Amino acid sequence: MSGTPEPVDLTNCDREPIHQFGAVQPFGFLLVISLDWIVTRASANLVEFLGITQADALGRPVSSVITPEALHTIRNKLTTLRGSDVVERMFGIALTPDQNRFDVAVHLNEGQVIIEGERCQEDRHNAPSLSMRSMMSRLDHAETMEAFFREGARQARALTGFDRVMVYRFDESGSGEVVAEAARAGIGSFLGLHYPASDIPVQARALYLRNLFRIIADIDALPVPVLPHLDALGQPLDLSMSVLRSVSPIHIEYLKNMGVGASLSISIVVDGKLWGLFACHHYNPRLPSAQSRSTAELFGQMFASRLESRERRLALDYETKARRIADRLLTSVADNASLLDDPAWLIEALADAIPADGIGVWINGRLAVAGIGPDERSFAALVRHLNRNAAGRIYAVDRLTETYPDLEVDDVVAGMLAIPISRSPRDYVVLFRQELVRTVRWAGDPHKPVEYGPNGPRLTPRKSFEAWSELVRGRSLPFSEAERRVAETIRVTLIEVVLRLADEVSMARQMANERQELLIAELNHRVRNILSLITGIIRQSQTTSVSVGDYIRQIEGRVQSLARAHDQITRDHWAPASLRQLLLAETAAYLGKNAQRIKMSGDDVLLEPQAFSTAALVFHELMTNSAKYGSLSGAGSGTVELGWHRDDEGNLRIGWRERDGPPVIEPTRHGFGSTIIRRSIPYDLGGKAEVRYSRDGLEADFNIPARYVVGPTSERSHSAPVGASERNTVHDNHQPLFGLNVLLVENNLIIAMDGEEILRRLGAEVATAPSVAEAMEILAGQSFDLALLDVNLGDETSFGIADRLAADGVPFVFATGYGEGIAQANSHSDAPVLQKPYTMEGVTDTLARMPLAKRQ
């Protein structure tokens, strides 16, 4: 690699190594010091400042080049540096024994200390007369953004003394616009000019983000090399953070073509991004003092801070105003749905919300257009494109003909924002914007140079504007993020109106179909459970000790007992049912007129459906056995005492006592009926069952856990207030989610409503989100104890939400209708899976397997 930088031209401008030219501007000197304080590089003009040649300085301790006092001050300042992109400045330091004063900048770079110095200026004549506090006050009193930019340019000119100060703003593509200007009289104006991104290439914008201040004191000054050009490893010096860094030949040519003698730029960084620059031009060489430049840099940072606050406040005000417009739109259309067919009214209603030059409306195959936009045939074709590609979401482009090359649209139409306002058939409100270059106006006659440099006339303000104009042909002003958020608000508003007024029949049909699908799925779930239960009864009832007739009668009795239980449950829409009614139904079925032989005692309680079905089978078997072998057999006078009560923990205790029947002998073999009596309640409900074969009569005690017991019938009808202890029991047992916050993510409204109802019945506070984005937004502002995530959310999945929840330590359950495989084909394969549709049984069963910590 040679010691001379390769020449550059416009074809490699973006690749130009502007931070490695290996030279500095001549108004100062540069020293590169190793970590052991030896001079390893120095600018060739060192002798002019420190009285020692560059060649003599190399390899010497820096303490022999500058005074020990100055070195001590520099070393102390280095201890304050935090990071490689920080430059510390010191003013009025005596670097040499002759006590000449210097302003010094110091920073670290790749294990080296870089010291830059320039002679101290007595700049009191040009010192700013206003304090920073008063400068900020002037900015704060600017009423509009235009006034704010204009005041910023005026203040920066007062600080720097340059002939022209411009506030230059970048757009998303890197192109720039002069949005404010303060200039001396008689030099023309650049206000309103646009420039292509190539005028400030990528690497230059990256440096502006790192190094917030750049001075070019004299464009005709010859750069001073820093020697040696390459270090021992063959690497050039990185001067990214240098105050004195020399200038790109192309940039020098650019400034010469504008007639500029000196320039200064201050970066405007907003929210971590390069928003723009204070670009300052002077038509003669100019070097403000280091102190003045530091003040200007501080002003730039404070200006950026004020700008960031203003932009956030304006975005909030804009969205608030747009939401008020959307509310008025909803009110107007709700009273008169025909307004949706009036594009003139719509464009007027939406004009203040989202600026546009034209509008098209497509509802139920009917269309209307107004203002600048495609004709009706092209608009219909555009709707077909949207139906294929937009997927029912807000969709914006700023190069319409480039996006849809086969669409016949006038060149004047360049931008589009499509707002879908229904699901099926897809209806749209589409806003159109015209080509950007047609809307740009010149605000003055820019300075015209008399001569052009070797790179031609392109490097001038007017020629750059013309290059930019060619670049943006066919492009509109992009729709901003704030405008897209407002469009989403309008989309939701109009969807509500269209679904309620223009599409009521379709919506009702869709809701009915979805409800029917839910019912079919629920029925399928119930039927599968019942068939599995009956299959088990048939299989377990097989025995060789009874006749076929007895076998059939056993099965019939058990199935009929289940049927009676299900009749009582479904009579109240699968709600808890009465224990007393269950026992009365079984007694009537077996004893008929002799039902008085069973003496019942206890306040009625309600059992959850799962416990009700289990209890039906248990008491069916008890009555069957008693009728065959025990107190209820034959025409005797035997009786059964059947009592129940709730203990202090809310559990239901039931006692069965047979009296005055034949002597009882414990069987040597237990059949299916005995197994049901002894094991059903412990196995199915987690309760207890104890059977004793007393000689005076069979005795049985059962304990059904409180979570399956709702309470007395009076509690259900709310005829009397529930006491504190009873209320706590209900919450703690019947409502396992009481006191917990649950996030439900479900993209289907009806299914979400069903899930919400189940979770609330279980005691939870529920927040619902239909998409990943809304779920993330909710999680950012609220904490949860549990989440229920639908795996498939239309065109996205909930796995990203699961990652966030896992990171926060929040337990979650996947819900799916596609089987466990699809939910577990991700990094959370150990997460519980709930088969859809949502059911009370499915949710409670899943919760029972999860450790949930109740909030205190």
Side-chain angles (χ1 to χ4, degrees), residues 187-205:
I187 62 172
S189 175
F190 292 166
L191 182 65
L193 285 183
H194 291 68
Y195 300 88
S198 58
D199 274 22
I200 302 181
V202 173
Q203 77 275 32
R205 289 196 295 272

Side-chain angles (χ1 to χ4, degrees), residues 359-392:
I359 189 169
V361 180
W362 177 281
I363 295 179
N364 290 331
R366 293 174 291 136
L367 64 89
V369 293
I372 295 175
D375 58 27
E376 291 188 355
R377 184 173 63 84
S378 297
F379 185 59
L382 176 62
V383 169
R384 289 194 293 273
H385 278 286
L386 292 173
N387 285 340
R388 290 196 298 268
N389 302 322

Side-chain angles (χ1 to χ4, degrees), residues 22-33 39 41-54 57 62 65-67 70-71 74 90 93-96 98 100-107 113-120 222-227 237 239 241-246 287 293:
V24 295
Q25 298 178 65
F27 67 83
F29 69 88
L30 182 143
L31 289 172
V32 180
I33 314 298
V39 178
R41 283 175 172 163
S43 59
N45 62 351
L46 192 63
V47 68
E48 299 175 22
F49 294 90
L50 300 184
I52 182 173
T53 65
Q54 177 267 341
V62 69
V65 178
I66 62 176
T67 64
L71 179 59
I74 290 172
M90 293 151 280
I93 297 179
L95 295 180
T96 58
D98 57 13
N100 286 331
R101 298 284 172 174
F102 290 85
D103 295 327
V104 176
V106 59
H107 70 277
V113 179
I114 296 181
I115 300 173
E116 299 173 273
E118 58 185 278
R119 288 188 174 88
C120 183
L222 295 176
V224 177
V226 177
L227 301 174
L237 180 62
L239 293 174
M241 302 305 296
S242 170
V243 173
L244 301 172
R245 186 179 75 246
S246 64
L287 178 63
R293 300 197 312 261

Side-chain angles (χ1 to χ4, degrees), residues 712-729:
T713 306
S714 58
E715 291 181 15
R716 288 273 293 177
S717 62
H718 304 289
S719 58
V722 181
S725 61
E726 294 178 36
R727 186 180 294 112
N728 290 338
T729 300

Side-chain angles (χ1 to χ4, degrees), residues 564-565 568-569 577-579 582 607-616:
R564 286 191 296 271
Q568 290 180 256
I569 296 170
S578 163
L579 172 64
L582 165 67
L607 298 180
E608 292 286 353
Q610 181 180 353
F612 194 88
S613 299
T614 300

Side-chain angles (χ1 to χ4, degrees), residues 745 769-780 793 796-797 801:
V745 181
S771 65
V772 173
E774 292 194 31
M776 292 299 192
E777 185 175 349
I778 292 174
L779 286 171
L793 300 173
E796 56 184 357
T797 68
I801 307 172

